Amino acid sequence: MRGLGLFILRPVGTALLCLAVVLMGLLAYRQLPVAPLPQVDFPMISVSASMAGASPETMASSVAMPLEQSLGAIAGLTEMSSRNSEGSTQITLRFDLGRDVNSAARDVQAAINAARPMLPSSLRSNPTYHKINPSSAPIMTLALSSATATKGELYDFASTIIAQKLSQVAGVGEVSVGGSSLPAVRVSLNPHALAAAGVALDDVRRALSGANSMRPTGIVENTQFQWQLDAGGQLEDASEYRELIVAWKDGSPLKLSDVASVENSVENRFNAGFFNDRTAVVLMVRRQPDANIIATVDAIREQLPQLQAMLPAEVTLDVAMDRSPSIRASLLEAEKTLVIAVLLVVAVVLVFLRNARAALIPSVAVPVSLIVTFTVMWWFGFSLNTLSLMALIAATGFVVDDAIVVLESIMRHIEKGMTPMRAAMRGLREVGFTVLAMSFSLVAVFVPMLLMGDMMGRMFREFAVTLSAAVLVSMVVSLLLTPMMCARLLPSARVLRQPGRLSRMIGAIGSAIQRGYESSLSWSLSHGRFMLLLLAATVGLNAYLYVVVPKSMLPQQDTGQLMGFFRVDQGTSFQAMEPKLDQFRRIIMKDPAVESVAGFAGGRSGTSTMLMVQLKPVAERGATAAEVVNRLRGQFQGVPGARLTLVPQQDIFMGGPQGSASYSYSLLGSELDLIKTWLPRVQQALAGLPELVDVDTDIEDKGQRVQLHIDRDAATRLGVDMSLIASTLNSSFSERQVSVIYRPLNQYRVVMGVDPRYAQDIEALQQVQVITADGSRIPLSSFTRFEMQSAPTTVRHQGLFASESISFSLAPGVSLEQAVIAVERAVAATNLPTQEIQAGFLGEAQQMRQTVAQQPLLILAALVTMYIVLGVLYESYVHPLTILSTLPSAGIGALLALMMANEPFSLVALIGIFLLIGVVKKNAIMMVDFALSAQRSQGLSSRDAIVQACLIRFRPIMMTTVSTIFGALPLILATGAGVEMRRPLGVTIIGGLVVSQVLTLYTTPVVYLYLDRLRTRVRRGRKE
């Protein structure tokens, strides 16, 4: 430490060096992106395939299964699930966190190519894939509405103009549009008119396709001029198609309008969207993984006036939802908490030192250390988010510790009569090693977490690195800047002013406390065995409390947004679904905490439905998001035939299916029928648990289906083959897209099908006629028997197994661990055949079980790492044990405080435990380091040395502990946005410090003495 004296002798250089790094920190602060939580990039890829008119079972067996067999062989694949619905298959692939998503995408494309020969020939286009980021919730939702424009026109504006322009904004990753579909010319055929005219459906299809040709027609030129040829092959409006001649009968033209109604409509009639009480088309904007949310939202808002100017006057573009206000409020609250914590720490230092100049010195170390930490955050590519700011808030009480230790040592020498310069040199040499030991041992606590590669490690890496950087920066500041300031700012003992009345009163209180501690310390040393038994009891009590404390993954965020999952009874038509969805919308809008609601529904029964609820700011609504969900839940029960569940939107996705509630329990098996048999039993068992609410299943197996039993012999005898039957049914009932209209900005379709009036029930099939090659009209019913059956509307796979899930949320006051235990007991009571069906949790519940299993090992790894670091620093096997003996009392205080505050033991609380490990051992380090020095330099006995160490280090120990407590106090007392993530940390730190401060001041000296005696006996034994 002698070389550090150079910085004391060169105050100008030291001050300017400090100023330079502070300026760098301020510049880095301006460059940091803003996010609600650290970015955890799950490498995920979605594979999609479509085959119009195919049933979910057909898609599952002929499309999904070959693809899954090929995709399942990709290295690093951790989860594969698929959802098969009418004409569509979507496979979601999740890879190891360490897998590069671009490399995985290449493997996915290769797997798709390998599976192509096994896919049906009717699959016209190859399956496609795209990279997805399911943890990225929409940062903004826009709504396009109009009193005069149609839904198709609104969708065209949204997808052609708005979505394209928004995608060009820096930071925007994806823009999706819902609530309608593109405009189209819809041809609704009259089967009776077609039959009377003797015209086949394929004749109409060929006429539509041939009349709307878009092919090159060439040029005509001579030696001087050139003329382009335009045959006008495009029909663009319904009025033009009505005059189209589809056939000639008896020398007279048969126009399309004679056998069909033709209108300008949309490609898919089964879509609806709304914003509050208006029909609307909804645009959801998601950000790129590394984008600054605040900057991206601001850039979008800057573009809104220009986008509005591009639209017709009657079309309105509104902001339906905006994620940035809650993020701004949360970060502002965190920054206010940080400032308050700094002020409280400064106040604590001032009270203890009773000298404004002396209090100024460690007070400078706090902002300097925190500002310089921004440079480290920028270097590692971190963001300003809840966890990184929480690390800075927690660090407020830690970064001042080193400065306090150095300052207190220097002041003690000044009070003995030394000059400030000499006292600074002496004090720095005396406590320099202590500061190094405290800082490096605190950083060592987080080493196991930094080495973790799973989601928990990724999540809290920013917290650990940010806090470690702040501690190391404060160590450097305390060893360089603090001694220099002490030498220049502190007065000598001869010119110290007489303390005032308040100062004398505070000093008297401090002296009385220290005298009380001295007498009680003597008693504890005289009753060493009792103190050791007390220490052993704390170890056992720690284990007991850890087992019984409720556990969870992460505190539930209040982002100010709710996601709604809407379902109707299976088999319900789209027309019957819309009034039910509107009824739910009105219920939500009546709640005083709701600011706006937007959503859209798609599919024949609204199977693709999403509701997004924007809540008012926390100060205005006076209730948390979870409380709003709980009070709305009862009102939703009054809508027959439909179900709506609301879930507070979270910023972190932990895998698993995104069901209708917060958590999922899945059944997997090779036989879908067996799963369908047991799923209702398991669902009934879970629905009866008081720990759960919103228990629902995603199985959709009661859709209505008409099964055609074709007499193939009769069909062959009549000259009808299977391809003709399939083509006739496809043209009649699958809304077949038969032609394309090319326009400058987009392409639109011509959709052909039987008029919905003639396709409302099974009787429509009785009227279908198949026209053979010789022109004969054969009724479909003449060789086909119709049977009504139930059929799945979706088929799901997990891996290569059939899968169905049960979704559930937690009842108020129930932790995730309590719910998991209750579910496992309930499922065990059903006698589920586990040899045929695999059952287990998915998503966050699964992650929680894995994390809880890892927590003891993680804590043990932190203790071992700290022991190794301390052993290296002290060159001793024994003294690190003395320092680590302080930790059990901190654990008791933290766990008791969590239980009293009704907070589950979450990952945030686990971080608090790690911080306590680092803070509490500082007290022991100050005692042990001084005692060892006194034994070596003064020749004191171990008892006299540890007693002197306890008394002399009592003031800095109290200062550092109280400053840490006051630094964490705003984490508990804050009431603004985002406090739910920070409160468990404050409860853990304060509870652990209060209990540990009382116990370790007495147990540490006792352990030191006993271990020192043991060390002495071992040495004597070796000599003998």
Side-chain angles (χ1 to χ4, degrees), residues 330-370:
S330 179
L331 293 178
L332 178 61
E333 187 67 29
E335 290 169 352
K336 287 167 53 180
T337 303
L338 178 59
V339 172
I340 294 172
V342 172
L343 295 177
L344 288 175
V345 169
V346 172
V348 169
V349 174
L350 181 60
V351 168
F352 271 89
L353 297 180
R354 295 173 292 152
N355 185 302
R357 285 191 180 185
L360 175 65
I361 296 171
S363 303
V364 169
V366 177
V368 169
S369 301
L370 299 182

Side-chain angles (χ1 to χ4, degrees), residues 666-731:
S666 179
L667 302 183
L668 285 78
S670 57
E671 297 294 334
L672 182 59
D673 292 338
L674 184 63
I675 294 178
K676 291 179 180 179
T677 301
W678 280 95
L679 190 71
R681 303 178 188 179
V682 176
Q683 180 186 4
Q684 184 178 6
L686 300 190
L689 297 175
E691 293 88 353
L692 308 183
V693 295
D694 294 337
V695 178
D696 195 12
T697 176
D698 60 5
I699 189 171
E700 298 174 1
D701 63 343
K702 293 183 174 59
Q704 300 183 39
R705 175 172 67 186
V706 179
Q707 180 67 48
L708 277 65
H709 298 280
I710 300 174
D711 187 340
R712 292 176 180 263
D713 293 337
T716 303
R717 186 175 64 252
L718 294 171
V720 179
D721 58 23
M722 292 301 297
S723 62
L724 180 59
I725 298 173
S727 176
T728 302
L729 293 174
N730 185 18
S731 298

Side-chain angles (χ1 to χ4, degrees), residues 101 298 977:
V101 70
D298 290 342

